[in-house]
């Protein structure tokens, strides 16, 4: 299994030194929390667990935590040559480490790391090994030479069967870590940690390290939270006055977002080309389906692609994979409406419903054949599973979970790279904005957080290009046994009113969050802490690894305001925060605040809102 040491961003933030490097002084090193869930998963399904980590000598701490959790051995990949590796180069080193310890039947790791939240390492390792992957698992069992796992997907979950060997990433909603016994901690403390350097792994400067990494960080800057001068209930400003203030701001007006044509989630009509496209397509969007047409995230990306593609030297391509016998006719029509100059369509029954292996093979082959300069995917559960595998297959870089994109030149030392896609993403739990580039490898690839771009219609008459697809027996190494998805959960980003519960809402009080949402026609959401505590589903999570929302009204109930959550909701039209701690960070983000226990505050606020605004039918 794979573990990583990260800065503990739950208790301390990181900064940026004047030279652009990360200042980790305020955040002590810990074992990545998701990897502790992976340790528990590994010891439950395997007879012998070997923990592997890559890092400096102090990263031994993560291996000792894994041994305390049940691993038998700890192996540290440690060499100055490994420093500066991006996820592509890191995967090279980890695969070499796996092979050096004798291989494995199953490789397990956390779904994401606290510092980066990219989710790329597991799929990248799987691609290098040419093994099937199962990401975001909440439970799993070994059945003969297969694994049966329940994994988180957008709006619900699916149950899959995968042949071994396989790579599995573990969600923090599954496999709660055990508390190590005293004998286990003593054994871990005294364990001999094996160390392998680059030479022992058979790796050189073309495989690992900064020089070998296709993804470069061009710029890092702090991303401070806003301070909105929160107005608190109390001293003459009571619940009725708060409701009046919300009405004055338009926060309670039904359909407020729908009326704003420039808001994310809306569609504004702009002039567009209606002639047939004859030039190259420089920027592709890998599109996904929703009820026969394109999902909202795909339409967002096409809108942004229309803006960026001319600077990259061509038009917009929509890559559509579909199991529909009509060749995805509605998906093509939606792509045409939102700016696609060319629709590349792979249609086959084997592509119905997302599966990693046939989709990755098809996407990679299409990219090799047609050669776009850049490729965008939505940072949904599908995109986060697919993009790292495709990038690894193409030996290119990938910037994950981006919140902004632009095209500009970049100079480094004596070289100037023209018209590069600049991919801006939050890092270090959202406290830092990193601008990533892929200056030499093509295509430049990014996943983009849904909800950050507006949807604008730009009608085209796209050329349609058939992408050939032939089933491969290896595609069936992963089979979907069950799939349970709620469309209502998927549409959280389109809600006008969002009521979010956090770790401060216990099981006995969660119904109060739901009552408030019902009273004003809002949607229920959750912080990461509430999801991990089992109060809500991951599909309802807001934050860096959940949804980005911009409702007219966001009510944060028992949420502290950690950066991981803030980056997913801080641009809401009006924010009301409820917390017992008057110094909670969430009050810096909020326009209005109520200091108190949610068990007392929520019934009073619900009653005041019901009086002034009946629930939506």
């Amino acid at each position: 299994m794979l573990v990583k040491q990260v800065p503990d961003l739950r208790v301390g933030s990181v900064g940026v030194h004047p030279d652009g490097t990360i200042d980790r002084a305020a955040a002590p090193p810990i074992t990545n929390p998701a990897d502790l869930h992976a340790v528990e998963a590994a010891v439950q399904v395997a007879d012998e667990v070997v923990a592997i980590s890559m890092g400096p000598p102090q990263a031994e701490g993560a291996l000792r935590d894994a041994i305390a959790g049940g691993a038998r051995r700890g192996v540290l990949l440690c060499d100055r040559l490994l420093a500066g590796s991006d996820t592509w180069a890191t995967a090279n080193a980890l695969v070499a480490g796996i092979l050096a310890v004798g291989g494995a039947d199953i490789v397990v790791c956390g779904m994401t790391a606290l510092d980066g939240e990219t989710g790329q390492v597991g799929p990248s390792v799987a691609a290098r090994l040419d093994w099937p992957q199962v990401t975001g698992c909440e439970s799993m069992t070994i059945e003969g030479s297969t694994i049966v796992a329940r994994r988180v997907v957008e709006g619900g979950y699916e149950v899959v069967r995968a042949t071994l060997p396989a790579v599995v990433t573990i969600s923090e909603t599954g496999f709660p870590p055990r508390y190590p016994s005293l004998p286990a901690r003593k054994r871990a403390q005294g364990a001999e940690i094996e160390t392998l350097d680059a030479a022992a792994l058979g790796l050189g400067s073309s495989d690992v390290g900064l020089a070998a990494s296709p993804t470069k960080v061009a710029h890092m800057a702090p991303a401070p939270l806003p301070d909105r001068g929160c107005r608190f209930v109390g001293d003459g400003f009571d619940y009725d006055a708060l409701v009046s203030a919300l009405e004055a701001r338009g926060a309670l007006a039904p359909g407020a977002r729908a009326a704003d044509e420039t808001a994310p989630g809306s569609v504004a009509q702009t002039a567009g080309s209606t002639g047939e496209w004859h030039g190259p397509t420089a920027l592709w969007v890998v599109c996904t389906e929703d009820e026969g047409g394109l999902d909202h995230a795909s339409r967002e990306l096409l809108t942004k692609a229309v803006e960026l593609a001319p600077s990259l030297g061509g038009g917009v391509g929509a890559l559509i994979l579909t199991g529909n016998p009509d060749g995805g006719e509605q998906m093509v029509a939606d792509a045409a409406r939102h700016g696609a100059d060319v629709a590349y369509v792979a249609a086959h029954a084997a592509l119905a419903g997302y599966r990693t292996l046939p989709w990755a093979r098809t996407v990679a082959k299409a990219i090799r054949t047609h050669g776009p300069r850049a490729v965008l995917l939505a940072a949904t559960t599908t995109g986060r599973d697919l993009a790292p595998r495709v990038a690894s297959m193409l030996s290119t870089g990938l910037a994950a979970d981006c919140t902004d994109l632009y095209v500009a030149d970049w100079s480094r030392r004596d070289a100037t790279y023209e018209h590069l896609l600049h991919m801006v993403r939050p890092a270090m739990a959202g406290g830092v904005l990193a601008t990533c580039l892929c200056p030499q490898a093509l295509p430049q690839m990014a996943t983009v957080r849904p909800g950050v771009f507006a949807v604008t219609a730009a009608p085209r008459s796209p050329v349609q290009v058939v992408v050939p697809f032939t089933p491969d027996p290896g595609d069936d190494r992963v089979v979907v046994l069950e799939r349970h998805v709620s469309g209502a959960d998927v549409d959280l980003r389109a809600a006008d009113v969002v009521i979010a519960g956090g770790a401060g809402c216990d099981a006995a009080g969660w119904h109060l969050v739901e009552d408030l949402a019902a009273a004003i026609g809002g949607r229920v959401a959750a912080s990461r802490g509430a999801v991990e505590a089992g109060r809500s589903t991951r599909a309802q999570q807001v934050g860096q690894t959940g949804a980005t929302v911009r409702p007219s009204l966001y009510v944060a109930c028992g949420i502290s305001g950690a950066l991981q959550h803030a980056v997913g909701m801080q641009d809401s039209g009006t924010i009301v925060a409820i917390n017992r701690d008057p110094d909670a960070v969430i009050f810096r983000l909020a326009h209005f605040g109520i200091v108190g226990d949610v068990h007392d505050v929520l019934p009073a606020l619900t009653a005041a809102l019901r009086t002034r605004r009946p629930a939506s039918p």
Side-chain angles (χ1 to χ4, degrees):
M1 71 152 304
L2 310 176
V3 296
K4 181 183 181 183
Q5 191 174 75
V6 297
D8 191 353
L9 300 170
R10 301 168 302 179
V11 300
S13 61
V14 299
V16 180
H17 290 299
D19 64 357
T21 59
I22 292 292
D23 177 9
R24 302 170 182 255
I30 58 166
T31 301
N32 181 47
D35 293 343
L36 295 176
H37 290 253
V39 170
E40 180 61 27
V43 298
Q44 286 190 25
V45 301
D47 295 327
E48 181 176 354
V49 176
V50 179
I52 299 175
S53 187
M54 179 180 124
Q58 72 177 30
E60 280 192 6
L63 293 169
R64 296 193 189 282
D65 284 348
I67 293 171
R72 295 290 182 90
R73 295 167 57 193
V75 180
L76 179 63
L77 314 183
C78 185
D79 195 306
R80 288 186 179 275
L81 188 61
L82 302 175
S85 294
D86 68 355
T87 52
W88 183 89
T90 297
N92 285 342
L94 292 172
V95 168
I98 292 165
L99 299 177
V101 301
D105 297 313
I106 182 170
V107 172
V108 181
C109 62
M111 187 168 69
T112 59
L114 192 62
D115 54 349
E117 303 279 7
T118 67
Q120 292 183 28
V121 168
S124 297
V125 167
R128 299 292 198 289
L129 293 168
D130 193 26
W131 290 2
Q133 68 194 52
V134 185
T135 57
C137 290
E138 296 182 299
S139 65
M140 63 174 174
T141 57
I142 302 294
E143 297 183 1
S145 61
T146 67
I147 176 176
V148 175
R150 168 173 159 152
R151 63 179 294 262
V152 177
V153 298
E154 215 73 22
Y157 70 91
E158 65 183 16
V159 179
V160 303
R161 183 189 301 277
T163 59
L164 297 175
V167 175
V168 177
T169 72
I170 304 299
S171 166
E172 288 182 77
T173 54
F175 297 98
R178 69 184 66 186
Y179 186 79
S181 65
L182 180 58
R185 295 199 301 272
K186 287 184 175 179
R187 183 172 70 86
Q189 190 62 34
E192 180 179 352
I193 302 299
E194 304 167 47
T195 301
L196 298 175
D197 61 15
L201 296 169
L203 300 173
S205 58
S206 62
D207 306 304
V208 293
L210 183 61
S213 299
T215 307
K216 312 295 184 186
V217 178
H219 180 64
M220 299 194 79
L225 293 174
D227 190 343
R228 296 194 167 101
C230 180
R231 184 175 185 184
F232 288 91
V233 168
D235 296 329
F237 185 68
D238 60 13
Y239 286 101
D240 287 337
L242 170 61
V243 174
S244 295
L246 295 177
E247 290 175 333
R249 290 176 62 91
L252 298 177
R257 276 164 42 93
D260 180 2
E261 291 192 335
T262 64
S266 64
V267 175
Q269 187 76 25
T270 64
S273 169
T274 57
E276 189 171 286
W277 180 261
H278 296 287
T281 50
L283 179 55
W284 280 19
V285 173
V286 178
C287 298
T288 46
E289 187 174 1
D290 181 23
E291 297 183 352
L294 291 189
D295 66 359
H296 194 272
S298 298
R299 288 182 278 130
E300 286 182 27
L301 294 184
L302 286 169
T303 295
K304 190 65 176 178
V306 169
E307 173 192 329
L308 298 173
S311 298
L312 290 168
V316 176
L319 178 57
I320 294 169
L321 282 67
T322 178
N324 290 337
D326 64 4
E329 183 178 320
Q330 185 58 52
M331 295 178 73
V332 173
D334 286 350
R337 185 187 179 204
H338 293 93
D341 297 300
V342 179
Y344 299 89
V345 181
H348 193 282
L351 295 174
Y354 172 71
R355 288 189 299 152
T356 307
L357 299 179
W359 275 56
R361 186 166 54 82
T362 305
V363 171
K365 184 176 180 180
I367 291 171
R368 290 191 188 103
T369 300
H370 297 282
R373 287 185 53 81
V375 177
L376 305 179
L377 300 91
T380 58
T381 53
T382 294
R384 287 170 174 153
D385 183 84
L386 176 64
R389 188 162 189 122
V390 171
S392 292
M393 294 168 71
L394 298 173
S395 294
T396 193
L398 172 66
D401 209 31
C402 296
T403 55
D404 196 13
L405 303 168
Y406 63 95
V407 177
D409 297 344
W410 181 60
S411 296
R412 187 185 185 195
R413 300 189 178 96
D414 297 327
T416 297
Y417 303 90
E418 297 182 340
H419 310 301
L420 285 182
L421 183 64
H422 285 56
M423 301 166 281
V424 183
R425 63 174 307 271
M428 300 294 169
V432 172
L433 287 178
T435 301
C436 301
L437 306 171
C438 192
Q440 294 177 307
L442 290 176
Q444 305 161 78
M445 289 184 66
T447 61
V448 180
R449 185 179 300 169
V452 300
F453 297 133
V455 174
T456 302
R460 302 287 199 270
S461 298
V463 176
Q464 290 194 47
V465 175
V466 173
V467 174
F469 176 83
T470 303
D472 187 297
D475 293 344
D476 292 330
R477 288 178 291 170
V478 179
V479 177
V480 179
L481 303 177
E482 303 174 35
R483 186 174 176 86
H484 300 268
V485 173
S486 166
D489 288 339
V490 176
D491 292 337
L492 178 64
R493 288 179 289 266
D496 281 314
V497 176
V498 174
I499 313 299
C505 297
D506 59 16
W510 190 259
H511 71 94
L512 299 174
V513 176
E514 297 169 334
D515 290 348
L516 177 57
I520 56 175
R523 292 285 311 284
V524 175
S527 71
R528 181 172 182 164
V531 171
E532 291 172 8
R535 311 277 187 267
S536 187
T537 67
R538 194 171 184 89
Q540 294 170 293
Q541 182 176 322
V542 171
Q544 187 164 358
T545 51
T548 295
V549 297
R550 287 179 172 83
S552 299
L553 174 62
Y554 189 91
V555 183
C557 311
I559 293 173
S560 65
L563 282 167
Q564 294 99 320
H565 186 78
V567 296
M569 47 68 71
Q570 62 183 341
D571 293 327
S572 301
T574 299
I575 299 171
V576 177
I578 302 164
N579 201 288
R580 288 182 298 180
D581 179 6
D583 297 319
V585 175
I586 192 67
F587 289 127
R588 288 182 54 193
L589 298 170
H591 300 87
F592 302 99
I594 306 172
V595 177
D597 191 291
V598 292
H599 295 85
D600 302 322
V601 172
L602 286 178
L605 180 59
T606 300
L609 285 164
R610 273 203 181 110
T611 300
R612 300 285 289 273
R613 182 177 186 265
S616 300

